Amino acid sequence: MDKLPKFTLPVWMDKGEVKKLRDATHRFWTGVYSWLLWPLKQIDPLTCDERLLDAIAWQRDVTRFTDEPLELYRKRVNYAFVNAKDAGSVAGFVEIFKRLGIGYIEINERQPEIDWDVIILRVTDEQLANNHNLLMNIIRQYGRTCRRYQYEVLQKLTLNMRVGHISGEYICYAATMPNDPFFMYVGQIESDSVCHSATLQTGSQTYSASLM
């Protein structure tokens, strides 16, 4: 609880001199409450005095690099223990970058045609430009022993696609001969070694063809 609760007077008393006395009393005890909380706030790196922050940072093996913002310095001191714990694994190393506000990062080890001791860090161009000193400090403090780190820059591209619905129907029509006897035919094919002939007879006419 950072603030004292403000008590409410009954309706018939919430005015005049009684209300002024209530407000003055609340301001006084709020000041006393903040005095009592001051020593406790000095233990928290996120709220302590900057002069005490350096002492806590020394205790947790954190050194402020050149031009480091105060807010980032407080975060590094505050997360020093958990960052040291997560330094040994790939997932933990990713969490370190997230805690310190760098964002998403990819870590790849033992890539084809690259020396086995090289670890590739994939970041965006913006991350590398805005956090260069912080990245170097994290690698120096939490990186693996006897490993070399190499940056690869990720570039985001926006792809627009149109999606539509296409429907169709497949129909196959087959031709058949009617059962009407008028359209039925009687055929006779005669053949010998010299010529080939065929005769087609319908209900009213006869057609013949020969192949010599």
Side-chain angles (χ1 to χ4, degrees):
M1 184 174 62
D2 297 333
K3 297 181 180 179
L4 286 177
K6 192 171 184 178
F7 56 90
T8 304
L9 294 173
V11 177
W12 60 88
M13 298 180 64
D14 194 13
K15 58 184 179 179
E17 299 299 326
V18 178
K19 182 179 179 180
K20 293 180 181 178
L21 178 61
R22 188 273 310 272
D23 294 339
T25 305
H26 185 269
R27 285 194 298 269
F28 172 77
W29 287 110
T30 298
V32 173
Y33 184 70
S34 63
W35 301 338
L36 296 175
L37 288 181
W38 188 87
L40 297 177
K41 290 182 178 180
Q42 308 316 306
I43 302 176
D44 187 358
L46 298 177
T47 58
C48 70
D49 187 87
E50 188 173 351
R51 292 167 293 182
L52 294 175
L53 181 62
D54 293 332
I56 300 175
W58 175 82
Q59 182 183 18
R60 300 184 180 184
D61 193 25
V62 175
T63 303
R64 188 174 186 177
F65 56 81
T66 306
D67 298 329
E68 180 179 12
L70 179 60
E71 182 180 358
L72 177 59
Y73 183 39
R74 290 183 183 277
K75 283 184 178 180
R76 291 206 302 126
V77 176
N78 184 62
Y79 296 122
F81 292 137
V82 65
N83 286 346
K85 180 181 178 181
D86 288 342
S89 64
V90 174
F93 208 59
V94 172
E95 290 299 321
I96 293 175
F97 284 87
K98 290 181 180 180
R99 292 190 194 103
L100 299 181
I102 296 178
Y104 176 77
I105 186 172
E106 294 181 5
I107 301 177
N108 297 316
E109 301 178 352
R110 299 182 181 273
Q111 296 299 297
E113 301 180 359
I114 298 179
D115 294 341
W116 65 271
D117 63 327
V118 175
I119 298 177
I120 298 176
L121 302 179
R122 291 182 177 175
V123 294
T124 64
D125 190 21
E126 183 179 0
Q127 288 175 313
L128 185 60
N130 296 337
N131 304 284
H132 181 264
N133 291 334
L134 177 58
L135 289 170
M136 296 298 296
N137 190 276
I138 292 175
I139 293 173
R140 186 181 301 110
Q141 186 168 9
Y142 303 113
R144 295 189 181 182
T145 306
C146 300
R147 294 292 189 274
R148 290 180 293 165
Y149 287 84
Q150 178 178 319
Y151 292 121
E152 285 189 0
V153 177
L154 298 174
Q155 187 67 34
K156 296 181 179 179
L157 297 176
T158 302
L159 178 63
N160 296 322
M161 299 180 63
R162 290 184 175 273
V163 180
H165 176 72
I166 300 177
S167 61
E169 186 178 84
Y170 177 77
I171 302 175
C172 179
Y173 295 96
T176 59
M177 182 174 289
N179 294 327
D180 190 344
F182 179 80
F183 291 97
M184 296 182 65
Y185 69 89
V186 177
Q188 182 180 1
I189 299 176
E190 297 179 357
S191 64
D192 53 28
S193 60
V194 178
C195 67
H196 301 277
S197 62
T199 302
L200 175 63
Q201 182 179 1
T202 65
S204 59
Q205 296 181 357
T206 301
Y207 301 92
S208 63
S210 63
L211 177 63
M212 299 302 296

